Amino acid sequence: MQRQYIVHFLYVLALSLTLPRVVSAQATSQKPQLTISFDTASKPIQFGVSHLEKALKESGQPVRKMPITLGTIINGIFIVVESAQGELYIHKEGYRISYQNNNLLITAVDDAGAMYGVLDVAEQIQVGKSWKTLTPKAVNPHFTVRALKVNLPWSSYRLGPAMDVHKDVCRDLAYWQRMLDQMAENRFNVLSLWNVHPFTYMVKPANFPEANSFSPNEMADWKYFWTSLFRMAKERGIEPYIVNWNIAVSPEFAKAYSVKERNDTSAVVKRYTREVVTQIINEYPDLAGIGITLADWMSNFSGTNSTLPEMTPKDREDWIEETVVAGIKAANRPVKLLHRSVLSADPGEMRRVINNAHLPDTTLVEIKFNWSHGHSTPVLALTHDSHSGKRDDGYWNPMPSNYRIQWMIRNEDFFILRWGQPDFIRRHIAQNTAPYVNGYFVGSEGYTPANDYSHVASNHQTWTYAFEKQWLFYQLWGRLLYDPATPDAVFEAAFTNRYGLKSGKPMLEAYAAASQMPLRLASFYGSTWDYTLYSEGFLAPFSAGKGVQDTVSSFISINELIDHSTLDPAYLSIKDYVGQMVAKKKIAAGKMTPIAVADLLDADCKTVLQRVQQLRSGASPTLVCELADLETWAYLSRYFADKLRAAVALQTYRLSQDKTQQQKAITYLNQCLRHWQKVSEITTSHYHEVPYTEGYISKENAYKDSQRFLWSNYLPQVERDIVLAKE
């Protein structure tokens, strides 16, 4: 049965108030008290009401809060066990705002929906609207899964200082409280926590006590941490998941029980995995789900472990069925299963395991959208279901009955500069909503939004954590995944409130234009896994097998830009475009040429610089910091635009031997140098050099100049392009 919650505002005078015989002008202008009646036992609704109370008080409205129970005369938030009459339209996590007898009602069928409704009202009051004249509406979530991906710095998948720098922050519950607050405000409802092997940080395994070396006190600290984190998530309508890789155990387990840390399919590892999954579910009642991936340590990379045979897709699914699924089914309560598609390779085998599991909840099947670079094109050009990256419709055709797809939008392209492009997200949702899709994951592998280690210490830092600096990124993704019809006015108002601007419209316009640069580069320069592209740095440290990869630098040289295939099938590569032009072939309709991309980038740059100039006068130091990021994106756009033009001219010269084209390329590349000098000047003023690939272990040699990153480090490579053009 559904439950119904009603937040009912009753505009009442406090009966105990006795007015004096002589009343001052200030007293007569004071607003009468507004009562907010609600179920005070509901933590999510309490969270929403705290925001509402703050907004009302800031507007000068006195407030009192009152619990509501059945039988009271004042209607407040109350629960109806039966189906709510007249509320058939409202779904889980949806809400309705309406009026009855001049009182404002927020109705929902669950706590999270009521919370979102209250947050909506609070937001409208914050922008100056009256609670008495709001527009009635009904809102339901577009997707039921709106998830953040956060990689943990212990037992981390990526190794090195870029992970280590977050260890203390990520053990601090204050960090998680702030993140969960922002998630709830932005309508995210799943927090997924990723590392290689989380289990030994959570429990002392009953039958394998040597799996970790924590003392009883240390284990108690970890237990308190996880219990508190999961409880705080639940109190904000957020489901916490843990996601591990697969056949992996702790170093202590490997030593104590004489097994390998990775890829060990022995009976003892199977038994341990099955039992520890059950124990964790039983010991953490607020844990909502467990995730598993089939990548890396299931003998699916050549040479991963030469002593073990290659596992077939069936072997991998059998292992999951006998360990993770069996552990879930043996627990004293149900949890949800997240079965990642990554390198599963055979959707038929995956379907078999999910079908046989007979789990009560819909299983989540996450698919990486355009591999590790989801901030590129909204066209699904690549997945990571197999090594080839080729999309396999078998994951959703035929339509699954017991699982749904979630698109994983990875961000491996901008860790430092702020980003926000609402129309890209709307377009992405519009093009990729389908009956078999129920949500999105958003997050990174090489970046954890915890310690902001890139910014030079400054008094204008009003944020403590990296995700707070990137607030617009999270607000746009969360709010638009919940309701793609959320208007730009909501995000403009966020700038207005944050910086006291007359209008937030110029800021959002500047962000929308600035944030096109990494999208255009990742659409144009085809990439696959994490370190094959880093858009804000114009780097490609590892080869994606899409074209020329020189042996000089991780910086994308003019030669690499020329001889590289695109990701978006609508884009024409430089090599293909120039080849067709020299051959005097007609460009196919609907194709985006490199010159057209350059023109768009120039238009973006012009818009950004105009808005920055408009906003700079009287800007606070913190706003100036945001404007500096926008300006950086503008000059990166101009750099990319002129480099595209230079590449077209240089390739034309190489095919035609027309010296005027060579000189044209050199001219453009000299302009590129000035643009990069400007980027370096802006960024060096408020950013440190930071670790990027440093500490990453691979048989393939990474360029040493990618280990640590700062834009100014690559000025010699920008100059080298000029030399290459002259040669």
Side-chain angles (χ1 to χ4, degrees):
M1 286 191 179
Q2 292 180 316
R3 296 186 302 165
Q4 181 185 43
Y5 298 85
I6 298 179
V7 182
H8 186 178
F9 297 89
L10 182 61
Y11 205 56
V12 296
L13 286 171
L15 298 178
S16 59
L17 180 63
T18 302
L19 293 175
R21 292 177 64 87
V22 178
V23 184
S24 68
Q26 181 178 2
T28 57
S29 65
Q30 185 176 10
K31 296 179 181 179
Q33 202 170 42
L34 173 66
T35 297
I36 308 174
S37 298
F38 64 101
D39 178 7
T40 56
S42 169
K43 294 291 186 180
I45 298 173
Q46 283 183 34
F47 179 82
V49 168
S50 68
H51 286 64
L52 176 60
E53 182 180 18
K54 181 174 183 287
L56 286 165
K57 287 183 175 179
E58 287 178 352
S59 73
Q61 173 63 64
V63 171
R64 72 166 181 171
K65 297 179 291 184
M66 187 175 70
I68 189 69
T69 59
L70 292 177
T72 57
I73 296 174
I74 299 176
N75 289 328
I77 294 183
F78 60 90
I79 298 174
V80 177
V81 178
E82 295 85 8
S83 295
Q85 294 295 324
E87 290 300 342
L88 298 178
Y89 176 78
I90 302 301
H91 304 159
K92 184 181 178 184
E93 296 188 337
Y95 60 90
R96 182 189 300 279
I97 297 174
S98 61
Y99 287 91
Q100 190 176 86
N101 299 325
N102 296 321
N103 300 313
L104 178 62
L105 303 178
I106 302 170
T107 61
V109 298
D110 61 2
D111 293 56
M115 176 184 72
Y116 295 149
V118 177
L119 289 171
D120 186 339
V121 171
E123 187 174 71
Q124 294 189 64
I125 290 170
Q126 194 174 29
V127 298
K129 295 183 180 179
S130 167
W131 68 271
K132 293 184 283 188
T133 56
L134 302 181
T135 302
K137 62 179 175 178
V139 182
N140 282 315
H142 186 78
F143 291 117
T144 58
V145 177
R146 306 175 301 279
L148 278 189
K149 173 187 189 292
V150 179
N151 275 34
L152 297 172
W154 48 84
S155 188
S156 59
Y157 180 72
R158 290 276 175 248
L159 302 173
M163 281 289 121
D164 295 341
V165 73
H166 301 296
K167 284 183 175 178
D168 290 341
V169 174
C170 286
R171 279 300 305 274
D172 187 352
L173 287 169
Y175 162 72
W176 293 106
Q177 181 175 335
R178 295 271 280 274
M179 172 173 274
L180 290 164
D181 284 352
Q182 190 193 75
M183 285 181 67
E185 292 159 2
N186 292 333
R187 315 312 194 246
F188 284 106
N189 66 351
V190 173
L191 172 64
S192 60
L193 304 166
W194 302 55
N195 64 354
V196 173
H197 190 68
F199 306 132
T200 50
Y201 292 86
M202 301 178 74
V203 295
K204 180 73 75 171
N207 293 318
F208 299 92
E210 294 181 76
N212 67 43
S213 57
F214 293 127
S215 69
N217 285 341
E218 289 172 324
M219 203 68 245
D221 286 343
W222 278 109
K223 185 73 178 286
Y224 177 79
F225 169 79
W226 294 112
T227 300
S228 301
L229 173 53
F230 297 159
R231 186 193 67 248
M232 287 193 300
K234 185 178 180 180
E235 290 174 351
R236 291 159 178 79
I238 296 167
E239 293 187 334
Y241 282 61
I242 55 170
V243 185
N244 78 312
W245 258 253
N246 43 58
I247 309 177
V249 297
S250 66
E252 296 91 339
F253 186 100
K255 181 178 179 181
Y257 301 102
S258 302
V259 298
K260 299 180 179 67
E261 280 188 49
R262 306 286 187 268
N263 272 321
D264 195 314
T265 57
S266 62
V268 66
V269 172
K270 279 188 177 180
R271 180 191 167 197
Y272 158 72
T273 305
R274 182 178 65 251
E275 290 183 2
V276 77
V277 166
T278 302
Q279 186 175 345
I280 280 173
I281 295 169
N282 292 344
E283 290 194 21
Y284 292 98
D286 291 332
L287 177 65
I290 291 181
I292 186 74
T293 185
L294 287 77
D296 295 272
W297 298 298
M298 283 189 149
S299 299
N300 46 19
F301 285 99
S302 177
T304 299
N305 191 325
S306 59
T307 65
L308 293 173
E310 187 83 4
M311 294 179 79
T312 66
K314 183 179 184 303
D315 293 336
R316 296 172 193 140
E317 295 290 355
D318 285 346
W319 192 89
I320 289 174
E321 187 172 39
E322 295 165 12
T323 56
V324 177
V325 173
I328 289 173
K329 297 188 74 172
N332 60 16
R333 66 181 182 88
V335 297
K336 296 177 182 178
L337 172 65
L338 164 60
H339 183 302
R340 303 189 67 213
S341 76
V342 175
L343 294 182
S344 57
D346 188 339
E349 284 298 322
M350 182 193 75
R351 286 175 183 260
R352 173 182 63 82
V353 169
I354 295 173
N355 289 341
N356 291 344
H358 299 293
L359 298 174
D361 292 302
T362 300
T363 293
L364 279 61
V365 175
E366 168 260 304
I367 295 179
K368 288 160 74 173
F369 195 102
N370 288 337
W371 209 312
S372 295
H373 300 275
H375 291 85
S376 51
T377 169
V379 175
L380 180 61
L382 285 174
T383 67
H384 195 193
D385 305 329
S386 61
H387 287 296
S388 71
K390 184 179 178 181
R391 59 179 279 171
D392 186 342
D393 293 6
Y395 286 92
W396 54 82
N397 185 19
M399 173 76 176
S401 61
N402 50 12
Y403 71 84
R404 288 292 182 269
I405 301 297
Q406 304 80 46
W407 302 123
M408 169 66 82
I409 306 300
R410 287 275 294 278
N411 170 29
E412 307 301 334
D413 291 287
F414 41 87
F415 301 159
I416 299 173
L417 300 177
R418 299 166 175 91
W419 182 93
Q421 221 302 337
D423 287 336
F424 165 75
I425 298 173
R426 292 189 184 102
R427 191 164 60 252
H428 206 294
I429 293 168
Q431 290 184 213
N432 298 289
T433 294
Y436 50 82
V437 175
N438 73 344
Y440 277 58
F441 281 75
V442 180
S444 306
E445 201 88 290
Y447 170 72
T448 297
N451 185 3
D452 182 10
Y453 56 94
S454 64
H455 202 283
V456 174
S458 173
N459 291 334
H460 73 251
Q461 280 184 266
T462 55
W463 63 93
T464 303
Y465 306 113
F467 72 85
E468 294 174 316
K469 174 191 164 187
Q470 294 275 10
W471 65 271
L472 184 63
F473 173 90
Y474 294 101
Q475 186 180 79
L476 288 173
W477 270 114
R479 295 296 296 272
L480 293 172
L481 287 174
Y482 181 83
D483 180 11
T486 302
D488 281 351
V490 169
F491 311 117
E492 293 167 3
F495 282 111
T496 302
N497 292 331
R498 184 173 289 263
Y499 293 119
L501 303 172
K502 291 181 180 178
S503 170
K505 187 177 177 65
M507 277 298 289
L508 190 64
E509 289 175 344
Y511 262 100
S515 300
Q516 294 282 16
M517 184 272 168
L519 304 178
R520 299 198 199 283
L521 177 57
S523 297
F524 187 85
Y525 197 84
S527 59
T528 54
W529 66 282
D530 309 11
Y531 294 141
T532 58
L533 184 63
Y534 178 43
S535 294
E536 73 179 351
F538 219 82
L539 305 186
F542 287 85
S543 173
K546 305 287 185 182
V548 166
Q549 190 89 357
D550 67 27
T551 57
V552 177
S553 170
S554 60
F555 192 77
I556 299 171
S557 70
I558 189 75
N559 287 340
E560 290 169 314
L561 191 65
I562 289 170
D563 193 351
H564 201 91
S565 59
T566 66
L567 174 67
D568 190 324
Y571 279 50
L572 268 181
S573 71
I574 290 166
K575 195 173 184 179
D576 289 346
Y577 170 68
V578 174
Q580 292 181 36
M581 293 298 290
V582 170
K584 300 188 184 305
K585 292 182 179 179
K586 185 178 179 180
I587 303 299
K591 287 291 185 180
M592 178 75 75
T593 69
I595 298 302
V597 175
D599 291 343
L600 289 172
L601 287 160
D602 270 346
D604 295 334
C605 175
K606 183 178 179 181
T607 297
V608 175
L609 294 180
Q610 285 176 344
R611 299 299 181 273
V612 167
Q613 182 64 26
Q614 176 184 345
L615 290 157
R616 195 181 297 281
S617 177
S620 68
T622 308
L623 178 54
V624 168
C625 181
E626 292 215 25
L627 295 177
D629 277 8
L630 294 172
E631 209 174 1
T632 302
W633 281 126
Y635 284 103
L636 285 171
S637 297
R638 191 166 280 174
Y639 173 83
F640 184 22
D642 280 346
K643 188 155 180 169
L644 285 170
R645 295 184 180 107
V648 167
L650 186 58
Q651 179 65 2
T652 302
Y653 159 69
R654 287 171 176 173
L655 293 182
S656 67
Q657 294 301 299
D658 181 348
K659 287 279 188 179
T660 62
Q661 290 294 323
Q662 182 187 32
Q663 189 54 51
K664 191 176 180 181
I666 293 168
T667 300
Y668 277 125
L669 289 171
N670 274 293
Q671 291 176 189
C672 285
L673 176 58
R674 290 193 288 275
H675 303 327
W676 200 267
Q677 287 170 337
K678 187 65 176 177
V679 167
S680 299
E681 175 191 335
I682 298 168
T683 54
T684 304
S685 69
H686 65 146
Y687 287 122
H688 293 293
E689 182 185 72
V690 295
Y692 176 43
T693 62
E694 186 178 1
Y696 177 67
I697 299 171
S698 173
K699 290 184 178 180
E700 183 181 355
N701 292 323
Y703 294 109
K704 289 184 178 179
D705 69 355
S706 72
Q707 292 185 29
R708 298 186 67 80
F709 174 78
L710 189 64
W711 285 270
S712 58
N713 293 353
Y714 301 97
L715 275 167
Q717 299 307 319
V718 177
E719 293 169 339
R720 175 174 170 260
D721 278 342
I722 301 171
V723 175
L724 291 173
K726 289 179 178 179
E727 290 174 351

